[in-house]
Amino acid sequence: MMPSSSTASDRAQRATLLVSCPDQRGIVSALAQVLAGHGANILSADQHTDAASASFFQRIHFDINTLHTDRLTLEGGIAEVRERFSMELSLHYGEHTKRIAIFVSKYDHCLYDLLLRVNSAELHCRIPLIVSNHTDLSAIAEHFDIPYHHIPITPENKAEQEGKTLALLKDSQIDVVVLARYMQILTPDFLREYPDRVINVHHSFLPAFAGKKPYHQAHERGVKLIGASAHYATADLDEGPIIAQEVAHTSHRDAVEDLIRKGRDLERLVLSRAVRAHTEDRVLVAHNKTVVFD
Amino acid sequence: MMPSSSTASDRAQRATLLVSCPDQRGIVSALAQVLAGHGANILSADQHTDAASASFFQRIHFDINTLHTDRLTLEGGIAEVRERFSMELSLHYGEHTKRIAIFVSKYDHCLYDLLLRVNSAELHCRIPLIVSNHTDLSAIAEHFDIPYHHIPITPENKAEQEGKTLALLKDSQIDVVVLARYMQILTPDFLREYPDRVINVHHSFLPAFAGKKPYHQAHERGVKLIGASAHYATADLDEGPIIAQEVAHTSHRDAVEDLIRKGRDLERLVLSRAVRAHTEDRVLVAHNKTVVFD
Amino acid sequence: MMPSSSTASDRAQRATLLVSCPDQRGIVSALAQVLAGHGANILSADQHTDAASASFFQRIHFDINTLHTDRLTLEGGIAEVRERFSMELSLHYGEHTKRIAIFVSKYDHCLYDLLLRVNSAELHCRIPLIVSNHTDLSAIAEHFDIPYHHIPITPENKAEQEGKTLALLKDSQIDVVVLARYMQILTPDFLREYPDRVINVHHSFLPAFAGKKPYHQAHERGVKLIGASAHYATADLDEGPIIAQEVAHTSHRDAVEDLIRKGRDLERLVLSRAVRAHTEDRVLVAHNKTVVFD
Amino acid sequence: MMPSSSTASDRAQRATLLVSCPDQRGIVSALAQVLAGHGANILSADQHTDAASASFFQRIHFDINTLHTDRLTLEGGIAEVRERFSMELSLHYGEHTKRIAIFVSKYDHCLYDLLLRVNSAELHCRIPLIVSNHTDLSAIAEHFDIPYHHIPITPENKAEQEGKTLALLKDSQIDVVVLARYMQILTPDFLREYPDRVINVHHSFLPAFAGKKPYHQAHERGVKLIGASAHYATADLDEGPIIAQEVAHTSHRDAVEDLIRKGRDLERLVLSRAVRAHTEDRVLVAHNKTVVFD
């Protein structure tokens, strides 16, 4: 059964295991056995082997309602397998709904989109707070009844304000940060606190355009497609592991404003798709690229 | 490693297991164990549970080069698991390249497309013969050096000619029949010989149009999309399990001829996609619908 | 210059002519001449001839800032051409921003989408009122500061309430009604008041499913695509002229809830696309189908 | 009526005018008048104004069967308008079917695709010759009964061989050169002979990858989309005006070979789309970008 079809109480009975390790024989069997041995019922399992790096990736979604031991014992069993195969492994219990902080500046389209998808239960997560370097979008936060923290950034106060923001995230036990068109660059120090847990969105073009006003450049070049990408933010700004990408057709009839409009739709789409994949524990990262199980 | 990235000699070292059964605990573990126990290395495994019918589906692709028993012993072990879980199960060895008979009438676009994809090693299969109720496309068969059997059909000789065709397929040890715009309706008797192994393609519209000249009807109705579907043929003609579907945008500028042209591109696309999925043992059928592992 | 790239004051200087008539020689020239003769500068012109019905369609967008006569004189000149070629013709001045009434029931996704696109100036229109047979969405109306009229419908009061609604629309000088997932069927009497000016949205499937719970039926059938269509409502409910259609891919992994979620995204997309085309005077209707100039 | 719906004898009765000039009032009217004045019936007209460069573009497709003067007189009338508005203008008579030379190396997918589309009358053009720096694809030329010229290129003989090739093109009265995965770079001298008349295709990625083995780089980077572009070749190799672009989704499951396979499908698609637009006189070039009327 797919998690998306489930109610909150269904989800609370489930857990997801994300595993990556060097490929070798017996991994699938070892994990399946340890789960079955404790009474867990595997609901779905998806696996990938990357030939180039000889790496193994797996996502197992299972029912813990049927356990005939307790969680601690199960976790001990899993830890033993982890050791044996030198796995990187994370275990996510469905009863813990992920807590997301949304960072915004002045554009509202991605913010609205995320909040509406949370409200309609498309995205299973909590939004304990919105952070912004501007006050423009506070009315939206109010409409959705979410605390809005105005933390303005200047070159002078950046370190200090990031520290304040991090404290806020810790206080609110934030799992993931979503940059919903947040126009500040986070420092490597900040990103180190949330490795592969800061999701960003940006436009993408064929060919790529460096520098300012990319939509103007794309229009000037007469491109027939524009795109957007969502990725994990890394110190190397728009170069983090890509989670989702989408494009839209354009033509000579599209003015710069039309490209920007189509770009907004794409940004909404890929960002929500990435957040959805992340909150459902479908994304693994290795060697600066993702495995997104669908 | 994905089969598509593999050479013929790689493929010969591999096997694929397709399983469906009532869902219950321990299936994944039991299969993983029996494979690991005989030394098989699982290369990829994909699983699906259909909540509505409480059915379990799995595709396991594994390396048999590492077996420390022989195939017979492995098959015995698998059979034991099959019994235990009341599985429907098929085991496909990569060394056996599937043998496909293509049936055509007068349209050449799907035929060319399939033959070119086989030639460029996109589709891993053999085409021992082409069957047609017309002679029009024999030059294409000749160009690709494939025997072309002209078996004309009339209402009077249909049963007899189908019998002759079946004998031909048996002689050539055909695994799959692909109807590449074959304009004859196969009888239930014929289809019974190749259950879920006759692949057909047809146009699809939103809304659907019954009766003759569907592209003319679609044009008359002013549709903004046209589509095509590939499916397994059943006695209930265009109602078999759907394997692949695709659409293209249309506008008022499209004359009937343009719709037909776009339809041809769609037919090529979905048919080759379906044949590819089938030849790579990615399709399971249950309750008149498919699970297509990608 | 595209209208979408323009500011409100730019738009006020422009007008759009929508023309349909039996095809014959000299139409394009006659219209171009009458506009040039009065000093109008044609900004864009798009034309289509439907061969089957021998019908001519044209959209001319022009600058009226450069007129060296007044509008009345221009309109007289246009009327003369209309007579000569038996045209159906409408002239839309950019200074009149279209006034849209949105009808809703309980689903909020299309309502939010339209209001956000109006707010971000993607859609150039006014929303003087929202009509609903339920109270559920009144808070959204409040957030966007739009009057919300709760007009509950029962089989008994339907005629009366439609009468009340029509009076309201007249009072607010409504140009277009958008049914944003409004779950009541409008009577032919109502629709007669707004011919080709009531826009509706509904799901579309390949194959089509009649009856209740179409997403459940689509899931049961194992479709690989789902779609949505926006169209002008006619007495023949979902059979009006199609304005926009879109589809999304689905797979066996999609539970009914996933199909519904993807359907919501499609409904938003096609409805906003249709409203956009209508508000920019890009749609002509003839013989129950549309010409949508892009 | 759309040209694509027409028979060869229909097409012979038609002509297409492609116009670009600085934008000013009265252009549309002047052209419509001169055509109507000579008895031509406009079948379709499409127009675009580029605000940034204040440039006007128009494509007029018209019936010359109804002329009540001769072509010379019509051309004289058009020339007068051209002078008045400083137009760049080309007039294409439908009776002249464009003559295309296809250049190939070793990949056959684009070559087959083009030849099949010509055979099925999707593309209205003649292919008087195929040029290749290799002999590999000569059997395909033979199958389609088209002369195949093997003109091998080395750094030493390049100028000489290009001269020989140009002579061949002149002899065969070639209008357009299509580089169907031709792996040689044409010199600026060659390209100068066919300005905006050499069509090339190449892969495109988000982000872009410079250097060798782009599909390997894309795989390494974990892109979720790959694309292809068709463009007019200029001295600045892959930087000419873009005619068509398309993308396909990819995932971690796609090995490099799968990316290459998807890339081939995209190359076929965009190249045939570009050739189609060009042969139907739908493309105008200005400021290194295209206007493609559809």
Side-chain angles (χ1 to χ4, degrees):
Chain A
M1 202 187 304
M2 298 295 293
S4 52
S5 70
S6 55
T7 65
S9 87
D10 282 345
R11 277 194 305 281
Q13 311 292 344
R14 292 169 189 170
T16 305
L17 199 57
L18 288 175
V19 174
S20 61
C21 63
D23 193 23
Q24 70 178 97
R25 248 188 301 168
I27 307 174
V28 174
S29 173
L31 284 167
Q33 253 180 283
V34 75
L35 291 173
H38 291 76
N41 185 26
I42 297 182
L43 296 164
S44 76
D46 208 337
Q47 174 202 328
H48 174 64
T49 308
D50 183 60
S53 61
S55 306
F56 172 91
F57 302 93
Q58 193 172 26
R59 175 187 188 265
I60 308 179
H61 187 61
F62 56 98
D63 193 337
I64 53 173
N65 202 26
T66 55
L67 282 187
H68 42 63
T69 62
D70 59 16
R71 292 188 190 185
L72 215 64
T73 313
L74 173 68
E75 290 173 15
I78 292 173
E80 188 275 325
V81 175
R82 186 188 61 207
E83 291 304 304
R84 190 158 22 120
F85 292 94
S86 310
M87 290 173 171
E88 293 201 43
L89 181 152
S90 62
L91 178 57
H92 307 266
Y93 289 107
E95 75 199 5
H96 174 68
T97 302
K98 286 202 174 41
R99 301 171 65 81
I100 296 183
I102 304 181
F103 284 29
V104 294
S105 290
K106 296 184 166 191
Y107 294 117
D108 64 4
H109 57 289
C110 285
L111 176 62
Y112 261 119
D113 189 70
L114 291 171
L115 296 178
L116 290 171
R117 289 183 195 273
V118 172
N119 264 16
S120 67
E122 279 186 28
L123 294 175
H124 302 303
C125 58
R126 293 224 165 71
I127 315 287
L129 59 91
I130 294 167
V131 169
S132 182
N133 55 334
H134 294 282
T135 57
D136 303 57
L137 307 185
S138 63
I140 301 172
E142 202 178 328
H143 175 56
F144 288 92
D145 209 16
I146 296 171
Y148 186 90
H149 297 265
H150 177 219
I151 305 182
I153 311 274
T154 63
E156 291 72 33
N157 73 5
K158 186 156 192 158
E160 182 192 348
Q161 295 291 67
E162 279 200 350
K164 191 174 146 190
T165 306
L166 279 171
L168 200 59
L169 302 185
K170 295 272 145 74
D171 273 3
S172 298
Q173 296 169 282
I174 292 303
D175 297 298
V176 195
V177 173
V178 175
L179 308 179
R181 302 292 279 130
Y182 179 66
M183 307 309 274
Q184 286 288 325
I185 295 173
L186 297 173
T187 63
D189 282 349
F190 186 105
L191 292 169
R192 225 179 330 265
E193 299 291 317
Y194 287 91
D196 299 337
R197 291 192 290 138
V198 177
I199 299 174
N200 196 10
V201 63
H202 68 95
H203 41 67
S204 298
F205 298 96
L206 300 154
F209 299 106
K212 294 243 166 181
K213 297 207 162 192
Y215 285 105
H216 286 77
Q217 289 188 63
H219 186 257
E220 181 71 19
R221 184 69 182 81
V223 297
K224 305 302 184 195
L225 284 176
I226 60 166
S229 300
H231 60 101
Y232 289 115
T234 56
D236 193 1
L237 196 58
D238 288 338
E239 297 295 327
I242 298 166
I243 311 168
Q245 295 187 298
E246 196 49 86
V247 295
H249 281 270
T250 58
S251 83
H252 61 273
R253 295 184 189 280
D254 289 304
V256 172
E257 285 72 13
D258 295 298
L259 299 186
I260 292 172
R261 168 176 58 83
K262 291 183 173 182
R264 273 199 300 260
D265 272 359
L266 293 171
E267 287 166 358
R268 267 196 282 242
L269 200 68
V270 297
L271 185 57
S272 70
R273 209 178 276 169
V275 171
R276 182 178 169 78
H278 187 98
T279 55
E280 295 184 355
D281 304 309
R282 297 182 177 282
V283 192
L284 277 158
V285 178
H287 310 107
N288 202 36
K289 66 182 183 181
T290 63
V291 169
V292 182
F293 290 120
D294 52 14
Chain B
M1 204 187 304
M2 297 295 294
S4 52
S5 69
S6 55
T7 64
S9 87
D10 283 343
R11 278 195 304 282
Q13 312 291 343
R14 292 169 190 171
T16 305
L17 198 57
L18 288 176
V19 174
S20 61
C21 63
D23 192 23
Q24 69 178 97
R25 249 187 299 168
I27 307 173
V28 174
S29 172
L31 285 168
Q33 254 180 284
V34 75
L35 292 174
H38 290 77
N41 185 27
I42 298 182
L43 296 164
S44 77
D46 208 337
Q47 174 202 329
H48 174 65
T49 309
D50 183 60
S53 62
S55 307
F56 172 91
F57 303 92
Q58 192 172 26
R59 175 186 188 266
I60 309 178
H61 187 61
F62 56 96
D63 193 337
I64 53 173
N65 201 28
T66 56
L67 282 186
H68 42 64
T69 63
D70 60 16
R71 292 189 190 184
L72 214 64
T73 313
L74 173 69
E75 290 173 15
I78 291 173
E80 190 275 324
V81 176
R82 187 187 61 208
E83 291 304 304
R84 189 153 27 114
F85 292 94
S86 309
M87 290 173 170
E88 292 200 44
L89 181 151
S90 62
L91 178 57
H92 307 266
Y93 289 107
E95 74 197 7
H96 174 68
T97 301
K98 287 202 172 43
R99 300 170 65 82
I100 296 183
I102 303 181
F103 285 29
V104 293
S105 290
K106 295 184 165 191
Y107 294 116
D108 64 4
H109 57 289
C110 286
L111 176 61
Y112 261 119
D113 189 70
L114 291 171
L115 297 178
L116 290 171
R117 290 183 195 273
V118 173
N119 265 16
S120 67
E122 279 185 28
L123 294 174
H124 302 303
C125 58
R126 293 225 165 71
I127 315 287
L129 59 91
I130 293 167
V131 170
S132 181
N133 55 335
H134 295 283
T135 56
D136 302 57
L137 307 185
S138 63
I140 301 171
E142 202 178 327
H143 175 57
F144 287 93
D145 209 17
I146 296 171
Y148 186 88
H149 297 265
H150 176 219
I151 304 182
I153 310 275
T154 63
E156 292 72 34
N157 74 4
K158 185 154 192 161
E160 183 192 346
Q161 296 291 68
E162 278 201 350
K164 190 174 148 190
T165 306
L166 279 170
L168 199 59
L169 302 185
K170 296 273 146 74
D171 273 5
S172 298
Q173 296 169 283
I174 293 302
D175 298 297
V176 195
V177 172
V178 175
L179 309 180
R181 303 290 280 130
Y182 180 65
M183 306 309 272
Q184 286 288 324
I185 295 172
L186 297 173
T187 63
D189 282 350
F190 186 105
L191 292 170
R192 225 180 330 265
E193 300 290 318
Y194 288 90
D196 299 336
R197 291 192 291 139
V198 177
I199 299 174
N200 197 9
V201 63
H202 69 95
H203 42 68
S204 300
F205 298 97
L206 299 154
F209 300 105
K212 293 245 167 180
K213 296 207 164 192
Y215 286 105
H216 287 77
Q217 289 187 62
H219 186 256
E220 181 71 20
R221 183 69 181 81
V223 298
K224 305 302 184 196
L225 285 176
I226 60 167
S229 299
H231 60 102
Y232 288 115
T234 57
D236 193 1
L237 197 59
D238 288 338
E239 297 295 327
I242 300 165
I243 311 168
Q245 295 187 298
E246 196 49 86
V247 295
H249 282 269
T250 58
S251 83
H252 61 272
R253 295 184 189 278
D254 288 304
V256 171
E257 285 74 12
D258 295 298
L259 299 186
I260 291 172
R261 168 175 58 82
K262 290 183 174 183
R264 273 199 300 261
D265 272 358
L266 292 171
E267 287 166 358
R268 266 196 282 242
L269 200 69
V270 297
L271 185 57
S272 70
R273 210 178 277 170
V275 171
R276 182 178 169 79
H278 186 98
T279 55
E280 295 184 356
D281 304 307
R282 298 182 177 281
V283 191
L284 277 158
V285 177
H287 310 107
N288 202 36
K289 67 182 182 181
T290 62
V291 169
V292 183
F293 290 120
D294 52 15
Chain C
M1 207 187 301
M2 297 296 293
S4 51
S5 70
S6 55
T7 64
S9 86
D10 284 344
R11 278 195 305 279
Q13 312 292 344
R14 292 168 190 171
T16 305
L17 199 58
L18 287 176
V19 174
S20 62
C21 63
D23 192 23
Q24 70 177 97
R25 249 188 299 167
I27 307 174
V28 175
S29 172
L31 284 168
Q33 253 180 286
V34 74
L35 291 175
H38 291 76
N41 185 26
I42 298 181
L43 296 164
S44 77
D46 208 337
Q47 174 202 327
H48 175 64
T49 308
D50 182 60
S53 62
S55 306
F56 172 91
F57 303 91
Q58 193 171 27
R59 176 186 188 266
I60 309 179
H61 187 61
F62 56 97
D63 192 337
I64 53 174
N65 201 28
T66 56
L67 282 187
H68 42 63
T69 63
D70 60 17
R71 293 188 188 184
L72 214 64
T73 312
L74 173 69
E75 290 174 15
I78 291 173
E80 189 275 324
V81 176
R82 186 187 62 207
E83 290 304 304
R84 190 155 25 116
F85 291 95
S86 309
M87 289 170 171
E88 292 202 44
L89 180 152
S90 62
L91 179 56
H92 307 265
Y93 289 107
E95 75 199 5
H96 174 68
T97 301
K98 286 201 174 42
R99 300 171 66 80
I100 297 184
I102 303 181
F103 285 28
V104 293
S105 292
K106 294 184 167 191
Y107 294 117
D108 64 4
H109 57 289
C110 285
L111 176 61
Y112 261 119
D113 188 71
L114 291 171
L115 297 179
L116 290 171
R117 289 182 194 275
V118 172
N119 264 18
S120 68
E122 279 186 28
L123 293 174
H124 302 304
C125 58
R126 294 223 165 72
I127 315 287
L129 58 92
I130 293 167
V131 169
S132 182
N133 54 334
H134 294 284
T135 55
D136 303 56
L137 307 185
S138 63
I140 301 171
E142 201 178 328
H143 175 58
F144 287 93
D145 209 15
I146 296 172
Y148 187 87
H149 297 266
H150 177 220
I151 305 182
I153 310 274
T154 64
E156 292 72 33
N157 74 3
K158 185 155 194 160
E160 183 191 346
Q161 296 292 66
E162 278 202 350
K164 191 174 147 190
T165 307
L166 278 171
L168 200 59
L169 302 185
K170 295 275 145 71
D171 273 5
S172 298
Q173 296 169 282
I174 292 303
D175 297 298
V176 195
V177 172
V178 174
L179 308 179
R181 301 292 279 131
Y182 180 65
M183 306 309 273
Q184 286 288 323
I185 295 172
L186 297 172
T187 64
D189 282 350
F190 186 104
L191 292 169
R192 226 181 328 268
E193 300 291 317
Y194 287 90
D196 299 338
R197 291 191 291 140
V198 177
I199 299 174
N200 197 8
V201 64
H202 69 95
H203 42 68
S204 298
F205 298 96
L206 298 154
F209 300 105
K212 293 245 167 181
K213 297 208 165 193
Y215 285 105
H216 287 77
Q217 289 187 63
H219 185 257
E220 181 71 19
R221 183 69 182 81
V223 297
K224 304 302 184 196
L225 284 176
I226 60 166
S229 299
H231 60 101
Y232 288 116
T234 57
D236 194 1
L237 196 58
D238 287 338
E239 296 295 326
I242 299 164
I243 310 168
Q245 295 187 298
E246 195 50 85
V247 295
H249 282 270
T250 57
S251 84
H252 62 272
R253 295 185 189 278
D254 289 304
V256 172
E257 286 72 14
D258 296 298
L259 299 186
I260 292 173
R261 168 175 59 83
K262 290 183 174 183
R264 273 199 301 262
D265 272 358
L266 293 171
E267 287 167 357
R268 269 196 281 241
L269 198 69
V270 297
L271 184 58
S272 71
R273 209 179 276 169
V275 170
R276 182 179 169 79
H278 186 98
T279 54
E280 294 184 357
D281 303 308
R282 297 183 177 281
V283 191
L284 277 158
V285 177
H287 310 106
N288 201 37
K289 67 182 184 182
T290 62
V291 169
V292 182
F293 290 121
D294 52 15
Chain D
M1 203 187 304
M2 296 296 293
S4 51
S5 70
S6 55
T7 64
S9 88
D10 282 344
R11 277 195 305 279
Q13 311 292 343
R14 292 169 190 169
T16 305
L17 199 57
L18 288 176
V19 174
S20 62
C21 63
D23 192 23
Q24 69 177 98
R25 249 188 300 167
I27 307 174
V28 175
S29 173
L31 284 168
Q33 253 179 285
V34 76
L35 291 173
H38 291 77
N41 184 26
I42 297 181
L43 296 164
S44 78
D46 208 338
Q47 175 202 328
H48 174 64
T49 308
D50 182 60
S53 61
S55 306
F56 172 92
F57 303 92
Q58 193 171 28
R59 176 186 187 265
I60 309 179
H61 187 61
F62 56 97
D63 193 336
I64 54 174
N65 201 28
T66 56
L67 282 187
H68 42 62
T69 63
D70 59 17
R71 293 187 188 183
L72 215 64
T73 312
L74 173 68
E75 290 173 14
I78 291 171
E80 189 276 323
V81 176
R82 186 188 61 206
E83 291 303 304
R84 189 152 28 111
F85 292 94
S86 309
M87 289 170 171
E88 291 201 45
L89 181 152
S90 63
L91 179 57
H92 307 266
Y93 290 107
E95 75 197 7
H96 174 68
T97 301
K98 286 202 173 41
R99 300 170 66 82
I100 296 183
I102 304 181
F103 284 29
V104 293
S105 292
K106 295 185 167 190
Y107 295 116
D108 63 4
H109 57 288
C110 286
L111 176 61
Y112 261 119
D113 188 71
L114 291 170
L115 297 178
L116 290 172
R117 290 182 194 274
V118 172
N119 264 19
S120 67
E122 278 185 29
L123 293 175
H124 303 303
C125 58
R126 294 223 165 72
I127 314 287
L129 59 91
I130 293 166
V131 169
S132 182
N133 55 334
H134 294 283
T135 55
D136 303 57
L137 307 185
S138 63
I140 302 171
E142 202 178 328
H143 176 57
F144 288 93
D145 209 17
I146 296 172
Y148 187 88
H149 297 266
H150 177 220
I151 304 183
I153 310 274
T154 63
E156 291 72 34
N157 74 5
K158 185 155 193 159
E160 183 191 347
Q161 295 292 68
E162 278 202 351
K164 191 175 147 191
T165 306
L166 279 171
L168 199 59
L169 302 185
K170 294 273 146 72
D171 273 4
S172 299
Q173 297 169 283
I174 292 303
D175 297 297
V176 195
V177 173
V178 175
L179 308 179
R181 303 291 279 130
Y182 180 66
M183 306 309 274
Q184 285 288 324
I185 295 172
L186 297 172
T187 63
D189 282 350
F190 186 105
L191 292 169
R192 227 182 326 269
E193 299 291 316
Y194 288 90
D196 299 336
R197 292 191 290 139
V198 176
I199 299 174
N200 197 8
V201 63
H202 68 96
H203 41 68
S204 300
F205 298 96
L206 299 154
F209 300 105
K212 293 247 168 179
K213 297 210 165 192
Y215 286 105
H216 287 76
Q217 289 188 63
H219 185 257
E220 181 71 20
R221 183 68 181 82
V223 297
K224 304 303 184 195
L225 286 175
I226 60 167
S229 300
H231 60 102
Y232 289 116
T234 57
D236 194 0
L237 196 59
D238 287 338
E239 296 295 327
I242 299 165
I243 310 169
Q245 294 187 299
E246 195 50 87
V247 295
H249 282 270
T250 57
S251 83
H252 61 273
R253 295 184 188 279
D254 289 304
V256 171
E257 286 73 12
D258 296 297
L259 300 186
I260 292 172
R261 168 176 58 82
K262 291 182 174 184
R264 274 199 300 260
D265 272 0
L266 292 171
E267 286 166 359
R268 268 197 282 241
L269 199 69
V270 296
L271 184 58
S272 71
R273 208 179 276 169
V275 171
R276 182 179 169 78
H278 186 97
T279 55
E280 294 184 356
D281 304 309
R282 297 182 177 281
V283 191
L284 277 158
V285 178
H287 310 108
N288 201 37
K289 66 182 184 182
T290 61
V291 169
V292 182
F293 290 120
D294 52 14

